[in-house]
Amino acid sequence: QAGTATFSYVLYLTGCQSEPSQMLTVHALPITELTGEASICEESVTTVGPTTNGTWSSNNPLVAQVNAQGLVTGISQGMAYLTFTNALTGCSNINPIEIQVHHKPEVSIDFYGSVCLRDNAQLGAIVQGGTPSFSYVWTGPGGFSGNTKDIFITLNGEYFVSVTDNKGCSAQASGLVYQRFEPLITGFQSTICEGDSTSLSVVANAAASFQWGTNANNSVSPQITVFPDVPSETFSVTVTNNEGCS
């Protein structure tokens, strides 16, 4: 225990005793405490004490780091032990504080093939890492909310998802769904005479490319002239906009 003491040497054969030694001071060990959570996520924090008159150190700074004020930051999955050293005495706590760091999940949004609104449009959360099972919280335009991995949407706009794993670690992602892309074919005659030609034109906002079918010579122009077969012929075109929606 803490205190002071002196030592003397006694020779048993003669009973003679030496002069007392210099005063020896025994300092008390630092009293430490975990003032936050013992289990944290990557990039989250917890706290330990004391916060003054000394320095903290981590035996594994690749897992958890701690500053002089006792703020602990989770770096990567694993276990770390924290030790406090008193600046005045140089004494350290015998039982280090144990900190468990859990791997944080990563999340991204699956647009299921199109970033533009369409019939039965769907979004999904793609989760990597973390500890199953996961919970989901979606928000979006028009007061939209959802709590499943996959959602169906009816409005364009920005959607947000927050995913929380079994250890309480969470991650967020957002994605922008563009307005519905519906190009129109205009300017054509529905009835013509055999051997006559007709023009077909595509009207589409922010169109980036056009691809007509083989019966239109695989044209990449927004306007074509064709000679339909008797009694009728169908022409199709794939139009892609600047966001990649077709």
Side-chain angles (χ1 to χ4, degrees):
Q1 66 181 38
T4 59
T6 59
F7 296 89
S8 298
Y9 180 77
V10 177
L11 184 62
Y12 289 132
L13 293 177
T14 64
C16 295
Q17 179 176 322
S18 68
E19 293 293 327
S21 65
Q22 289 185 341
M23 187 75 67
L24 176 66
T25 300
V26 178
H27 298 289
L29 292 175
I31 298 175
T32 59
E33 61 177 335
L34 178 65
T35 53
E37 297 292 330
S39 177
I40 62 175
C41 306
E42 293 171 331
E43 300 178 11
S44 64
V45 298
T46 188
T47 54
V48 291
T51 60
T52 59
N53 300 325
T55 58
W56 282 96
S57 62
S58 170
N59 78 319
N60 196 345
L62 294 179
V63 170
Q65 297 178 359
V66 58
N67 65 14
Q69 289 72 45
L71 182 67
V72 184
T73 303
I75 304 299
S76 63
Q77 184 175 6
M79 189 78 72
Y81 296 90
L82 310 180
T83 301
F84 180 80
T85 301
N86 187 292
L88 298 176
T89 66
C91 297
S92 301
N93 53 312
I94 295 177
N95 298 314
I97 294 178
E98 182 180 292
I99 300 294
Q100 175 76 53
V101 180
H102 300 289
H103 183 48
K104 181 180 177 180
E106 297 178 2
V107 60
S108 59
I109 293 181
D110 188 349
F111 292 90
Y112 287 100
S114 178
V115 295
C116 291
L117 190 66
R118 64 194 189 284
D119 292 338
N120 299 316
Q122 188 177 5
L123 299 178
I126 302 174
V127 181
Q128 295 178 318
T131 305
S133 57
F134 302 97
S135 63
Y136 306 87
V137 176
W138 289 89
T139 57
F144 176 87
S145 63
N147 58 7
T148 56
K149 182 178 183 295
D150 298 310
I151 58 172
F152 288 95
I153 61 174
T154 58
L155 296 175
N156 60 285
E158 192 167 15
Y159 288 82
F160 302 86
V161 62
S162 178
V163 177
T164 303
D165 72 0
N166 192 48
K167 300 296 184 181
C169 301
S170 61
Q172 294 76 37
S174 64
L176 183 61
V177 178
Y178 295 93
Q179 64 184 0
R180 187 182 294 270
F181 182 58
E182 295 180 331
L184 299 175
I185 298 178
T186 64
F188 62 90
Q189 299 168 267
S190 60
T191 302
I192 62 174
C193 296
E194 181 179 0
D196 287 349
S197 64
T198 186
S199 294
L200 305 177
S201 298
V202 179
V203 176
N205 292 327
S209 66
F210 305 86
Q211 182 61 66
W212 293 86
T214 56
N215 61 345
N217 295 319
N218 296 313
S219 175
V220 293
S221 172
Q223 182 175 354
I224 61 172
T225 300
V226 294
F227 295 84
D229 290 337
V230 175
S232 66
E233 188 173 2
T234 299
F235 296 87
S236 62
V237 58
T238 298
V239 184
T240 304
N241 68 6
N242 293 331
E243 285 78 40
C245 300
S246 298

